[in-house]
Amino acid sequence: MGETLEHLSQCFLQTLSPNPEPRRRAEASLSEMADKPNYGLTVLRVVAEPSVDEQIRQAAAVNFKNHLRARWAPTPSSDAKSYPPLPELSPIPDHEKEQIKTLIVPLMLSSTPRIQSQLSEALALIGKHDFPKLWPTLLPELVSNLQQATDYASINGILGTANSIFKKFRYQYKTNDLLLDLKYCLDVFAAPLLEIFLRTAALIDSSASSGGTAVSLRPMFESQRLCCRIFYSLNFQELPEFFEDHMTEWMTEFRKYLTTTYPALEGGGGGDGLVLVDELRAAVCENINLYMEKNEEEFQGYLKDFSFAVWSLLVTASASSGRDRLTITAIRFLNTVCTSVHHTLFAGAGFLEQICQSIVIPNVRLRDEDEELFEMNYVEFIRRDMEGSDIDTRRRIACELLKGIATNYKDQVTAIISVQIQNMLASFAQNPTANWKEKDCAIYLVVSLATKRAGGSSVSTDLVDVQSFFGSVIVPELQSQDVNSFPMLKAGALKFFTMFRNQIPKEVAIALIPHVVRFLGSESNVVHSYAATCIEKLLLVKAEVGRPRYSSSDVNPFLLVLMNNLFTALRFPESEENPYIMKCIMRVLGVADISGEVAGACIAGLTSILSEVCKNPKNPIFNHYLFEAVAGLVRRACAKDPSLISAFEASLFPILQTILVNDVTEFWPYAFQLLAQLVELNRPPFPQNYMHIFKLLLQPETWQRSANAPALVRLLQAFLQKTPHEVTQDGRLSEVLGIFSKLVSVSSTEELGFYVLNTVIENLGNDAIAPFVTHIWAALFTRLQSHRTVKFVKSLVIFMSLFLVKHGPVALVDSMNAVQPNIFLVILDQFWIPHLRLITGTIELKLTSVASTRLLCESPPLLDASAVILWGRLLDSIITLISRPEQERVDEEPEIPDIAESVGYTATFVQLYNAGKKEEDPVKEIKDPKEFLVNSLARLSSLSPGKYPNVINKSLDPTNQTALLQLCSTYNCAIV
């Protein structure tokens, strides 16, 4: 055993080596040993051995934690999407688990702080799976140690562990099991928690009054912070009886930490003492906010004192930097109060003004850290500023407080803030260079307090007159000749233009777009990103009638400069894969008139970027817009000038080949969609390189990755449509139908199988498909027997309808009955008639109603006297389909999709809007399916007068009888 410990210690030492070779060897050795029995216990012995160097013991503690994470309750890694499959990890045996549980608490409590924090995390990992049911001794053991502990290193170790294992009560849904676990934890831990909280509070009071040092106070404040976090977890689901009975003790201490200063900690010690006290205060604010939100009635008696305590604290904290967490949690509490029935607390004279001047405005002003983020991390700055993920920043939470107050005191708040904005702008006007932050603050307030109209992109504000503010405050920034001066002001102006784009008159906006185009050349990543976003969003604005407000004629005058500046912006450091710029390129290409000159420049720019990203695809959003831009350019340019196709092929083919040959799997779905687009644009005879791709497409290994299937089907459909002659040569049709059989046999790809089959039926003649029809029906009937889903049966009805309109009712019935005698009537009775009403989609609805009508009026088996009941039911189903709105006919499908949601780049299929397939109407010669039905019925009934009215009366639902009468009247047809 000693040798093993020695060997393990050596391995852990080598994992810390700066040289990769010994480090890798040690990691491989540890990985091999981890499969052996009692590995976790042996590592724990290394951690516990005092003679071993502290650094090695810490590395062992980290390894132990990771070992538990992977093997305490390993999840099976049978994910088909993982390449290669991850090896299965053997779980830790139960007897070893029990020994680990016995040893871990005492070892954690006797360890040094760094090792203690690793073991505490390891303990929480076990607790996540086993606590409380499989580890009933844990909580009593923690409580016993807590009551005996005298030093705060141990106390805080226990509280830190308890905090970790109780966190689940904050995040899990309320269930009976969760409430039973919570009750158990409250019964065992609530009283000891209050006891240690009050004991520590008394020690802090006596230490603070007798001049205690920062060193002695620090662990006590950490202890109180942990108690507050545990309080939050145990109170999160509902107010426990114990906490309600002892509310006064808790609230008295909470209020004290908000109103007392601790000079020993806050005054010295390099500022981290103040951070520690503020962390405790922030935890208190979260607790009282929780009570305000969930237990308002019980908390009401304490509310006034807390509101003024938090307010006073905020006035001080808002004036200093670095106290963000406290400021944010405190403002959130005030916001909860402002939007509750207790808002009148702030209604007194001068209160609203003080909140605005002493809390809101100081927190909205730019800070050094905002400027630093703007310059150093533009992605994070934009995420917070433009995309609204800044709810946890001082600027945004202060604006949320203003909105909160304005829910009940709108006129007063508007008046106060309007005056503040005018003062800021006046201050800027006096000295623009020195006071530019005043103007930034004014713009930020107007933008942040704007309200969005429900369901649209329009925003409005009562603070300023938008057009006058835009003209006097924003336009001068946009017209500034120096695109690099005061970049934060420029960004604010561009953001304002973007936000209020619907209110800016078209002629004003068009005159300013060339200025916005100049800002694409700004060195600031935020500024050129905001300029791109501004143009992109402007092009989405709708006119009153729903058409785009800006058309190609508005964009064309500055199109070349715009595209040049957009591609140039992608050369700035850190903007090489800037998604805002690429999205703008995509949007402009979707609006502008693409001349040969523009097309040439754009395809050169886009293919050059494509070549780069193929080497290392790392930004999924940028890459999606890149492929959309390429697809949009190809679609629009070639529609205008088909002679450009060959130039596009020359540029794109080498890259698409690189993607396929170098196995850039992330881009395969995109490559196949672009190829499909190029195939559809071509005319036979097809160049040889396309036919190589067609051969590749028919190979089974191409279809192994399920993520590629939708794009491959899209490409296969394009070939079937454009090269039907080649499909029927050299046994290719047999291979195509093999792909159909494989896809249709699995529920996650069955719809794709039908896409292939439908395209075959639409584009190939009867002679070509006749030898295969029996096999097609056999494959479909087999699937119908083994696993039928609503989606499958609907797809089957659509396919049978397509077959009927292409080859006639007799061919449909005879080919089906050739597989099994009389199976057609069984399928009609059990599947076609019941599922017809569920069909959705304009083309699908028209196709199936026309096909069903032809079946009704032209199919001999249905016109036979023995099939009269089926005939009536089919007619009833057709009338339901064509006369009732979708929501009445179709229930929500209870089916759960088979494809798991995936994150980032697990090569899932993402559809390119610009490379979408144009839907063809297979019955375009029939304009109106309703008219077709009544005309067909009138013709049929005239051959056997008196036969059909009787069937209709017996078979049709009364609502459908009325609907049929109405249709006959509308189209002036009679059923006799």
Side-chain angles (χ1 to χ4, degrees):
M1 195 65 171
E3 280 178 31
T4 311
L5 285 183
E6 182 61 38
H7 176 57
L8 262 178
S9 298
Q10 276 306 307
C11 283
F12 288 128
L13 181 62
Q14 304 225 295
T15 61
L16 305 170
S17 166
N19 300 326
E21 199 39 56
R23 197 168 64 240
R24 278 197 207 103
R25 268 205 313 275
E27 284 164 358
S29 179
L30 289 170
S31 180
E32 195 181 316
M33 285 191 278
D35 279 327
K36 295 189 175 148
N38 296 324
Y39 172 77
L41 284 168
T42 315
V43 175
L44 215 47
R45 283 194 58 192
V46 174
V47 177
E49 182 52 61
S51 62
V52 174
D53 179 76
E54 164 87 7
Q55 207 183 5
I56 295 173
R57 289 164 63 205
Q58 195 184 334
V62 171
N63 178 274
F64 174 72
K65 176 187 74 178
N66 292 335
H67 179 70
L68 296 196
R69 179 177 282 124
R71 294 169 187 263
W72 194 269
T75 49
S77 62
S78 58
D79 184 1
K81 291 195 188 75
S82 95
Y83 301 106
L86 299 168
E88 293 288 346
L89 296 174
S90 51
I92 298 169
D94 288 346
H95 66 86
E96 189 181 339
K97 283 183 175 180
E98 291 310 312
Q99 285 178 275
I100 288 171
K101 286 181 195 171
T102 307
L103 296 169
I104 192 166
V105 175
L107 178 55
M108 179 196 75
L109 296 178
S110 62
S111 296
T112 54
R114 282 183 174 170
I115 293 172
Q116 187 180 74
S117 76
Q118 295 299 330
L119 292 178
S120 177
E121 281 184 53
L123 196 154
L125 282 166
I126 303 172
K128 188 177 166 191
H129 297 287
D130 289 18
F131 177 78
K133 292 183 181 63
L134 299 176
W135 199 357
T137 56
L138 173 62
L139 215 48
E141 187 178 0
L142 289 176
V143 169
S144 163
N145 280 299
L146 185 64
Q147 287 166 336
Q148 291 165 29
T150 50
D151 66 298
Y152 272 90
S154 297
I155 289 169
N156 291 348
I158 297 163
L159 291 174
T161 302
N163 181 35
S164 295
I165 60 175
F166 293 155
K167 272 181 187 171
K168 72 172 187 175
F169 298 121
R170 298 183 209 170
Y171 306 120
Q172 292 185 11
Y173 286 116
K174 189 187 283 192
T175 60
N176 283 341
D177 280 353
L178 189 77
L179 292 178
L180 284 170
D181 287 355
L182 177 58
K183 183 182 183 309
Y184 164 76
C185 294
L186 287 163
D187 290 347
V188 179
F189 207 82
L193 177 70
L194 178 60
E195 188 186 317
I196 190 70
F197 184 67
L198 294 175
R199 191 167 87 206
T200 307
L203 282 171
I204 288 174
D205 290 349
S206 64
S207 179
S209 60
S210 60
T213 63
V215 174
S216 64
L217 283 167
R218 254 195 192 90
M220 295 187 219
F221 270 84
E222 174 58 12
S223 180
Q224 295 303 67
R225 185 191 72 80
L226 287 166
C227 286
C228 283
R229 298 313 287 147
I230 294 169
F231 176 99
Y232 187 83
S233 296
L234 296 179
N235 281 272
F236 189 86
Q237 294 289 342
E238 52 191 37
L239 177 58
E241 194 180 335
F242 180 87
F243 285 92
E244 189 174 356
D245 293 345
H246 295 274
M247 202 183 285
T248 303
E249 288 115 299
W250 283 105
M251 295 303 152
T252 304
E253 297 306 319
F254 284 172
R255 185 167 168 272
K256 186 170 71 190
Y257 296 128
L258 298 181
T259 52
T260 310
T261 52
Y262 297 90
L265 274 175
E266 296 180 54
D272 63 336
L274 174 62
V275 171
L276 194 61
V277 181
D278 275 358
E279 281 182 348
L280 171 56
R281 289 170 178 148
V284 167
C285 287
E286 291 200 6
N287 288 343
I288 58 175
N289 193 48
L290 180 73
Y291 267 45
M292 187 60 213
E293 286 179 335
K294 298 198 171 192
N295 314 308
E296 190 182 319
E297 199 180 317
E298 295 84 353
F299 182 64
Q300 197 171 338
Y302 307 95
L303 177 60
K304 190 173 181 181
D305 282 354
F306 272 114
S307 296
F308 291 112
V310 169
W311 176 336
S312 307
L313 187 59
L314 262 174
V315 172
T316 315
S318 297
S320 54
S321 63
R323 303 181 74 178
D324 290 3
R325 182 160 153 65
L326 170 62
T327 305
I328 289 162
T329 51
I331 290 177
R332 193 172 286 135
F333 169 72
L334 283 191
N335 197 14
T336 305
V337 178
C338 285
T339 49
S340 74
V341 294
H342 305 287
H343 58 79
T344 48
L345 278 172
F346 301 117
F351 277 1
L352 292 174
E353 197 145 346
Q354 282 183 51
I355 288 181
C356 293
Q357 287 181 352
S358 307
I359 295 172
V360 174
I361 301 297
N363 282 297
V364 172
R365 287 191 196 285
L366 271 179
R367 295 166 184 274
D368 292 345
E369 46 266 50
D370 297 322
E371 292 185 70
E372 195 176 302
L373 189 68
F374 182 93
E375 286 167 22
M376 306 303 291
N377 188 346
Y378 86 96
V379 176
E380 181 60 18
F381 181 89
I382 295 175
R383 202 173 66 79
R384 290 182 179 187
D385 184 53
M386 189 71 106
E387 296 172 12
S389 69
D390 63 341
I391 198 68
D392 282 337
T393 64
R394 290 167 79 136
R395 288 193 108 181
R396 179 57 67 98
I397 200 79
C399 288
E400 291 302 311
L401 175 61
L402 258 189
K403 286 182 185 174
I405 303 168
T407 49
N408 295 296
Y409 305 102
K410 186 176 181 182
D411 293 345
Q412 295 97 308
V413 169
T414 303
I416 294 164
I417 297 297
S418 296
V419 169
Q420 292 279 352
I421 287 170
Q422 293 314 314
N423 293 345
M424 289 171 188
L425 294 174
S427 170
F428 169 78
Q430 282 169 6
N431 188 341
T433 307
N435 297 338
W436 68 270
K437 289 184 183 177
E438 295 290 302
K439 184 171 183 176
D440 174 87
C441 191
I443 296 172
Y444 186 87
L445 279 167
V446 177
V447 167
S448 299
L449 296 173
T451 49
K452 261 196 172 163
R453 299 217 182 108
S457 59
S458 253
V459 291
S460 59
T461 179
D462 296 316
L463 282 175
V464 294
D465 174 77
V466 170
Q467 293 194 29
S468 129
F469 188 86
F470 185 72
S472 60
V473 178
I474 303 300
V475 170
E477 293 302 328
L478 298 177
Q479 290 176 336
S480 158
Q481 288 310 297
D482 184 353
V483 295
N484 292 314
S485 65
F486 301 106
M488 293 193 87
L489 259 188
K490 302 292 189 293
L494 287 163
K495 185 181 174 188
F496 185 97
F497 192 3
T498 308
M499 284 275 291
F500 290 97
R501 59 192 178 276
N502 287 294
Q503 279 96 304
I504 310 299
K506 180 175 177 176
E507 60 280 9
V508 175
I510 285 178
L512 287 167
I513 289 178
H515 293 291
V516 178
V517 171
R518 279 189 305 109
F519 281 110
L520 291 166
S522 167
E523 289 165 11
S524 160
N525 297 83
V526 176
V527 172
H528 59 242
S529 299
Y530 277 15
T533 299
C534 182
I535 294 163
E536 189 264 324
K537 296 280 186 252
L538 272 174
L539 295 180
L540 288 174
V541 174
K542 296 278 189 281
E544 280 65 32
V545 287
R547 288 202 196 93
R549 184 185 289 178
Y550 302 94
S551 64
S552 55
S553 58
D554 299 315
V555 177
N556 290 344
F558 47 83
L559 179 60
L560 273 172
V561 182
L562 168 57
M563 295 314 293
N564 182 49
N565 285 14
L566 283 165
F567 281 110
T568 304
L570 288 168
R571 293 203 278 273
F572 280 112
E574 294 185 42
S575 270
E576 296 87 354
E577 294 189 18
N578 184 321
Y580 306 101
I581 295 171
M582 189 49 72
K583 191 177 188 184
C584 184
I585 291 173
M586 174 198 81
R587 190 76 63 214
V588 173
L589 290 174
V591 172
D593 277 334
I594 313 290
S595 65
E597 183 187 8
V598 173
C602 288
I603 201 68
L606 292 170
T607 48
S608 151
I609 297 161
L610 258 178
S611 301
E612 278 308 303
V613 296
C614 281
K615 294 171 189 170
N616 180 20
K618 57 181 185 288
N619 188 333
I621 296 168
F622 174 83
N623 293 333
H624 180 75
Y625 292 139
L626 170 59
F627 279 100
E628 279 287 14
V630 173
L633 178 63
V634 170
R635 180 170 65 90
R636 291 186 48 107
C638 295
K640 193 176 177 197
D641 180 1
S643 69
L644 288 169
I645 295 170
S646 54
F648 283 165
E649 286 173 342
S651 300
L652 287 170
F653 250 96
I655 291 170
L656 297 175
Q657 246 167 334
T658 302
I659 291 170
L660 299 178
V661 172
N662 294 354
D663 211 16
V664 187
T665 50
E666 298 90 339
F667 289 169
W668 273 35
Y670 290 128
F672 293 132
Q673 288 176 86
L674 285 180
L675 281 166
Q677 197 182 14
L678 291 170
V679 169
E680 285 172 351
L681 287 166
N682 260 286
R683 289 181 175 77
F686 270 72
Q688 207 44 48
N689 49 9
Y690 280 106
M691 299 323 292
H692 284 314
I693 287 165
F694 190 27
K695 284 176 186 161
L696 172 79
L697 187 58
L698 297 178
Q699 290 169 5
E701 50 271 26
T702 308
W703 294 81
Q704 276 172 352
R705 292 188 182 124
S706 61
N708 294 332
L712 287 168
V713 166
R714 169 90 181 77
L715 179 54
L716 184 53
Q717 285 179 290
F719 275 115
L720 290 169
Q721 199 178 347
K722 299 296 285 193
T723 62
H725 177 70
E726 280 80 359
V727 174
T728 56
Q729 307 299 306
D730 305 325
R732 287 187 196 128
L733 182 53
S734 172
E735 291 171 322
V736 169
L737 291 170
I739 291 166
F740 142 73
S741 294
K742 188 171 180 230
L743 291 170
V744 91
S745 66
V746 181
S747 56
S748 59
T749 55
E750 63 191 11
E751 212 164 9
L752 297 172
F754 277 107
Y755 291 167
V756 173
L757 188 55
N758 293 346
T759 313
V760 167
I761 295 298
E762 275 185 90
N763 294 285
L764 301 184
N766 192 37
D767 293 349
I769 63 164
F772 302 99
V773 169
T774 307
H775 300 293
I776 292 170
W777 290 125
L780 292 172
F781 297 160
T782 304
R783 175 68 218 261
L784 197 57
Q785 274 181 312
S786 66
H787 181 63
R788 70 183 66 128
T789 60
V790 173
K791 190 170 68 176
F792 178 86
V793 179
K794 279 163 64 178
S795 298
L796 178 61
V797 171
I798 290 165
F799 167 68
M800 292 188 293
S801 300
L802 187 64
F803 191 102
L804 185 149
V805 299
K806 287 289 172 187
H807 302 295
V810 174
L812 174 75
V813 174
D814 290 352
S815 64
M816 288 172 75
N817 286 341
V819 180
Q820 191 180 320
N822 292 323
I823 195 165
F824 170 73
L825 288 177
V826 176
I827 299 281
L828 181 70
D829 177 29
Q830 293 181 16
F831 301 106
W832 190 319
I833 292 171
H835 287 81
L836 185 59
R837 68 182 182 84
L838 302 178
I839 300 296
T840 54
T842 312
I843 291 175
E844 290 84 351
L845 190 149
K846 184 181 173 191
L847 167 67
T848 51
S849 66
V850 167
S852 301
T853 299
R854 288 191 59 187
L855 203 55
L856 198 67
C857 300
E858 298 173 34
S859 174
L862 263 181
L863 297 173
D864 192 273
S866 61
V868 69
I869 293 170
L870 264 185
W871 189 94
R873 283 180 52 225
L874 178 58
L875 176 59
D876 191 55
S877 218
I878 298 170
I879 294 169
T880 300
L881 177 70
I882 61 175
S883 67
R884 296 195 198 176
E886 198 175 293
Q887 59 270 29
E888 277 183 36
R889 297 186 285 108
V890 182
D891 302 323
E892 285 299 309
E893 284 187 36
E895 289 168 27
I896 296 162
D898 291 2
I899 302 167
E901 276 193 14
S902 52
V903 179
Y905 257 152
T906 40
T908 48
F909 173 69
V910 182
Q911 186 163 355
L912 287 174
Y913 168 81
N914 282 314
K917 185 177 183 295
K918 192 166 171 256
E919 290 302 322
E920 297 289 336
D921 179 357
V923 283
K924 49 180 165 289
E925 69 281 0
I926 292 164
K927 297 287 174 272
D928 182 350
K930 295 177 181 174
E931 185 176 11
F932 181 69
L933 173 69
V934 288
N935 277 335
S936 302
L937 285 172
R939 234 185 352 267
L940 179 68
S941 71
S942 68
L943 301 174
S944 313
K947 175 180 175 184
Y948 290 102
N950 191 28
V951 178
I952 289 167
N953 286 336
K954 281 185 184 167
S955 306
L956 262 62
D957 171 278
T959 314
N960 284 350
Q961 288 190 35
T962 308
L964 180 57
L965 279 171
Q966 183 69 51
L967 288 171
C968 288
S969 156
T970 304
Y971 296 106
N972 198 20
C973 289
I975 299 169
V976 292

